[in-house]
Amino acid sequence: KFKALNACVGCDLSGADLSKANLNNANLNNADLIGANLFLANLIGADLFLANLSEANLRGANLSEADLRGADLSEADLRGADLFLANLSGAQLFKANLVYANLVYANLSEADLSQADLSEADLRGADLFLANLSGAQLFKANLVYANLIYANLSEANLSQADLSQADLSQADLKNTDLT
């Protein structure tokens, strides 16, 4: 049924092996994907609004233009994932691994990225308005033209990060490493 309709609204896919699956434009709104294996999956333009992807393996997955508003990606593995133009506003990314992730022009406004690892991630032009990045690792991250207005960067590691033209107005930089 899922393959025929390319939709599985609110369904339970926890622990499912969907590695390398083609789920472009799939409707997985409010789906339970806890611990699912989505390694190298194609989720371009997918609707993952309010989906639970905590502890999911999304390494190398293509989530370009995906709707991840309010999604739970806590402790998810997103190393090398493509999130170009993805909407992650209000998403939970607590302790998520986003090393080398492409977040160019992604909407991360009001997202919780506390203690997330964004080392060497590409966040050029990303919207991080009111985002919580407390304790996050942003070592060598590219934040050129990023909107960090009112972002919480307390205790974050921005060592060697490129903040050229980034807007840090009213951002909380308490105990932030900017070396």
Side-chain angles (χ1 to χ4, degrees):
K1 184 178 178 181
F2 173 58
K3 285 189 177 185
L5 299 173
N6 201 29
C8 195
V9 176
C11 64
D12 184 358
L13 293 168
S14 54
D17 185 2
L18 299 165
S19 56
K20 299 181 182 176
N22 184 1
L23 301 167
N24 293 343
N25 299 306
N27 185 350
L28 295 162
N29 188 316
N30 207 32
D32 180 354
L33 290 147
I34 297 171
N37 183 8
L38 291 150
F39 175 73
L40 293 176
N42 281 314
L43 290 146
I44 299 167
D47 180 356
L48 290 152
F49 177 72
L50 294 176
N52 190 340
L53 292 143
S54 57
E55 300 179 21
N57 176 5
L58 289 149
R59 270 184 313 139
N62 190 339
L63 291 144
S64 298
E65 301 181 47
D67 182 358
L68 290 147
R69 289 172 299 142
D72 186 352
L73 291 142
S74 300
E75 299 185 56
D77 186 351
L78 290 143
R79 285 176 289 170
D82 188 351
L83 291 142
F84 175 76
L85 280 172
N87 188 346
L88 293 127
S89 100
Q92 299 297 313
L93 291 134
F94 173 73
K95 286 190 175 180
N97 188 339
L98 291 143
V99 174
Y100 296 115
N102 175 9
L103 290 150
V104 174
Y105 298 119
N107 181 352
L108 291 148
S109 60
E110 300 184 64
D112 180 2
L113 290 143
S114 56
Q115 297 181 43
D117 192 348
L118 293 132
S119 299
E120 300 191 56
D122 192 348
L123 291 134
R124 284 174 294 152
D127 184 359
L128 291 143
F129 176 77
L130 277 172
N132 181 3
L133 291 143
S134 60
Q137 293 296 318
L138 290 144
F139 175 74
K140 288 189 175 180
N142 186 343
L143 289 150
V144 174
Y145 289 106
N147 174 7
L148 290 153
I149 298 172
Y150 289 108
N152 180 354
L153 290 156
S154 62
E155 309 283 337
N157 178 6
L158 285 154
S159 177
Q160 298 181 47
D162 189 347
L163 291 159
S164 306
Q165 306 299 316
D167 191 343
L168 290 151
S169 303
Q170 304 300 314
D172 182 351
L173 298 168
K174 185 179 178 185
N175 297 320
T176 301
D177 183 354
L178 294 164
T179 57

